[in-house]
């Protein structure tokens, strides 16, 4: 497609990242499915009754638990410190941060907290849940803490605790991980002005080209965004004489794996950019409004973009940054590097990443109009 426009072949930039999975069945139960010795008969009622947090430290071999202590109790080297059921991920982070020097052998969090909004991703493993991309995307958001915990941290089913709660026991806990290297490839195209300042900071525009794999049409998420960016490239390349600065065009891999492709590219590219506009899921025929995600963070860039959308006869939706800006799409990677970045979205959440995301549900004129608006930005 690009060669037919007379544009040089895109640069290929590798996006390599690792995915953490559980190493063996006993990583989340224990040997032979038991979490305790014969004295207490502390037996896991079903596989998965004990599940390491994605940020957990592994054990060297295994750790022995001789006492269960409910926080805030006196934790010693052989204790399992049972934490409360958190109401939010923020409250969990606050408490974990106070335990970085705890002598406890391991920390345990009730499994019930995983039903709290935003908490399931702390236990997202490809080997345990149905889609590797969804699990890895969640893991990318939750794996790294801003502090270090030296002991393993597990979610556990409360039913496996010895009756009476706190007290002596003789349990074995083993946490092991395996790392898988995933190879992705980002594509980058540069449109250079025939006049203007070639060395000026560029404007970035992009879309992710990966989907959820075989069986998923991915028409709106994100063939619609890729199509709009290609048309933007065509228009800008044809009128390079009007450009005052270069345009860097990005086609991201591994967005569905947790923005892994753009996370790698943003670190390399952000310093040379003035701003970035992302297009992700913009073609739903039953969605009349176009949302400019990033309005509350970058009002100048968002305002200019909204003006261009309105000039094309498109309706601009309300500010939904509270729900959609963090981690929502590849704009987040550039935002994290300190670059003004927004995302255009006009889709239907209920169809994204499903087999129902098909071409017949797209509004091609809307996609074309969004492309024209992006060109004007």
């Amino acid at each position: 497609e690009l060669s037919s426009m007379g544009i040089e072949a895109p640069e290929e930039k590798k996006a390599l990242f690792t995915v953490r999975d559980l190493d063996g069945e006993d990583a989340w139960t224990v040997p032979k499915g038991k979490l305790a010795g014969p004295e207490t008969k502390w037996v896991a009622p079903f596989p998965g009754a004990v599940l390491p947090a994605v940020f957990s430290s592994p054990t060297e071999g295994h750790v022995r638990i001789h006492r269960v202590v409910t926080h805030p109790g006196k934790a010693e080297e052989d204790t399992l410190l049972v934490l409360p059921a958190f109401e939010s991920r923020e409250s969990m982070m606050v408490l974990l941060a106070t335990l970085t020097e705890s002598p406890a052998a391991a920390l345990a969090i009730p499994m019930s907290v995983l039903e709290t909004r935003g908490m399931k991703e702390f236990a997202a493993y490809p080997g345990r849940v149905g889609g590797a991309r969804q699990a890895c995307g969640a893991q990318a958001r939750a794996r790294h803490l801003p502090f270090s915990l030296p002991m393993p941290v597990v979610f556990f089913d409360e039913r496996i605790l010895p009756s009476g709660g706190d007290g002596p026991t003789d349990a074995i806990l083993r946490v092991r991980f395996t790392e898988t290297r995933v190879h992705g490839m980002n594509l980058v195209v540069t449109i250079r002005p025939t006049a203007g300042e070639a060395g000026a900071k560029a404007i970035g525009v992009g879309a992710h080209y990966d989907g959820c794999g075989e069986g998923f049409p991915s028409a709106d998420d994100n063939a619609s965004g890729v199509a709009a960016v290609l048309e933007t490239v065509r228009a800008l390349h044809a009128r390079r004489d009007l450009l005052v600065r270069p345009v860097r065009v990005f086609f991201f891999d591994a967005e569905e794996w947790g923005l892994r492709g753009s996370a790698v590219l943003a670190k390399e590219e952000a310093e040379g950019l003035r701003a970035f506009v992302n297009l992700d899921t913009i073609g739903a025929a039953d969605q009349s409004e176009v949302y400019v995600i990033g309005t509350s963070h970058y009002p100048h860039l968002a305002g200019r973009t909204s003006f261009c959308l309105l000039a094309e006869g498109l309706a601009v939706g309300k500010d939904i940054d509270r729900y959609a800006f963090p981690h929502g799409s590849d704009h987040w990677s550039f935002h994290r590097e300190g670059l003004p970045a927004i995302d255009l979205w006009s889709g239907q959440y209920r169809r994204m990443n499903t087999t129902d995301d098909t071409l017949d549900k797209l509004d091609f004129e809307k996609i074309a109009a969004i492309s024209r608006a992006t060109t004007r930005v």
Side-chain angles (χ1 to χ4, degrees):
E1 182 69 25
L2 293 171
S3 61
S4 68
M5 303 178 196
I7 298 174
E8 60 188 60
E11 304 170 54
E12 295 183 349
K13 292 182 173 284
K14 294 180 180 179
L16 306 179
F17 56 93
T18 58
V19 173
R20 170 175 279 194
D21 206 350
L22 299 169
D23 183 13
E25 182 177 343
D26 62 352
W28 68 89
T29 55
V30 288
K32 299 181 181 179
K34 295 183 179 180
L35 192 65
E39 181 180 346
T40 60
K41 301 186 184 302
W42 187 11
V43 179
F46 59 90
V50 178
L51 182 67
V54 297
F55 54 77
S56 176
S57 297
T59 59
E60 294 184 8
H62 62 265
V63 296
R64 202 91 189 189
I65 306 295
H66 293 296
R67 188 173 183 82
V68 177
V69 177
T70 301
H71 183 81
K74 184 179 180 181
E76 298 174 348
E77 291 184 0
D78 61 351
T79 59
L80 175 71
L81 182 59
V82 179
L83 305 183
F86 301 102
E87 297 181 356
S88 69
R89 54 190 293 154
E90 291 75 16
S91 59
M92 182 183 77
M93 293 293 192
V94 169
L95 181 53
L96 288 177
T98 69
L99 299 173
T100 56
E101 297 183 5
S102 171
L107 305 180
I109 303 171
M111 192 84 76
S112 58
V113 306
L114 296 179
E115 298 305 315
T116 304
R117 179 180 175 86
M119 293 289 287
K120 286 184 178 180
E121 55 196 44
F122 287 113
Y125 290 100
R128 182 175 181 268
V129 300
R133 282 176 170 80
Q134 286 79 1
C136 296
Q139 188 180 109
R141 294 189 291 271
R143 178 173 169 181
H144 300 289
L145 297 181
F147 46 84
S148 177
L149 289 166
M151 73 289 286
V153 182
V154 297
F155 296 97
F156 72 102
D157 189 284
E158 294 90 322
R159 291 172 291 176
I160 69 173
L161 283 178
S163 59
D166 293 12
T169 186
D170 183 17
I172 294 173
L173 179 64
R174 176 179 293 170
V175 176
R176 301 185 305 185
F177 299 110
T178 182
E179 301 280 342
T180 301
R181 192 73 162 164
V182 179
H183 296 257
M185 185 68 72
N186 295 315
L187 305 176
V188 183
V189 174
T190 302
I191 304 174
R192 297 179 175 84
T194 54
E197 187 179 346
K201 285 195 172 186
I203 297 296
V205 60
H208 76 88
Y209 70 88
D210 67 309
C212 285
E214 185 177 353
F216 293 86
S218 302
D220 199 12
D221 183 15
N222 186 33
S224 65
V226 172
V229 170
L230 284 171
E231 285 304 303
T232 298
V233 170
R234 188 191 305 276
L236 292 174
H237 185 259
R239 297 310 308 270
R240 299 187 304 282
D241 57 310
L242 298 180
L243 295 179
V244 297
R245 62 178 67 246
V247 177
R248 291 283 275 177
V249 184
F250 307 115
F251 297 96
F252 303 111
D253 197 0
E255 190 269 354
E256 302 291 357
W257 293 76
L259 317 181
R260 301 296 184 105
S262 60
V264 172
L265 200 58
K267 291 183 182 298
E268 302 174 4
E269 296 281 344
E271 187 175 343
L273 298 178
R274 182 179 177 87
F276 172 68
V277 178
N278 189 61
L279 283 73
D280 188 354
T281 313
I282 59 169
D286 52 351
Q287 172 60 267
S288 60
E289 295 177 312
V290 181
Y291 292 87
V292 182
I293 299 170
T295 294
S296 62
H297 295 267
Y298 303 109
H300 177 73
L301 176 59
R304 179 181 177 87
T305 304
S306 297
F307 175 82
C308 294
L309 291 168
L310 292 169
E312 292 293 335
L314 296 162
V316 176
K318 63 182 181 181
D319 180 0
I320 58 172
D321 284 2
R322 177 182 176 186
Y323 310 100
F325 189 76
H327 313 293
S329 189
D330 293 306
H331 64 283
W332 175 254
S333 297
F334 291 87
H335 165 76
R336 291 185 67 184
E337 297 301 319
L339 184 75
I342 60 170
D343 176 51
L344 301 185
W345 185 85
S346 186
Q348 286 291 351
Y349 278 114
R350 67 176 180 272
R351 286 200 298 268
M352 294 170 63
N353 297 328
T354 73
T355 56
D356 199 34
D357 185 7
T358 52
L359 282 172
D360 60 299
K361 298 179 178 66
L362 300 186
D363 180 342
F364 295 101
E365 178 48 43
K366 182 174 71 171
I367 296 171
I370 292 174
S371 176
R372 292 193 295 270
T374 303
T375 302
R376 297 174 63 162
V377 173

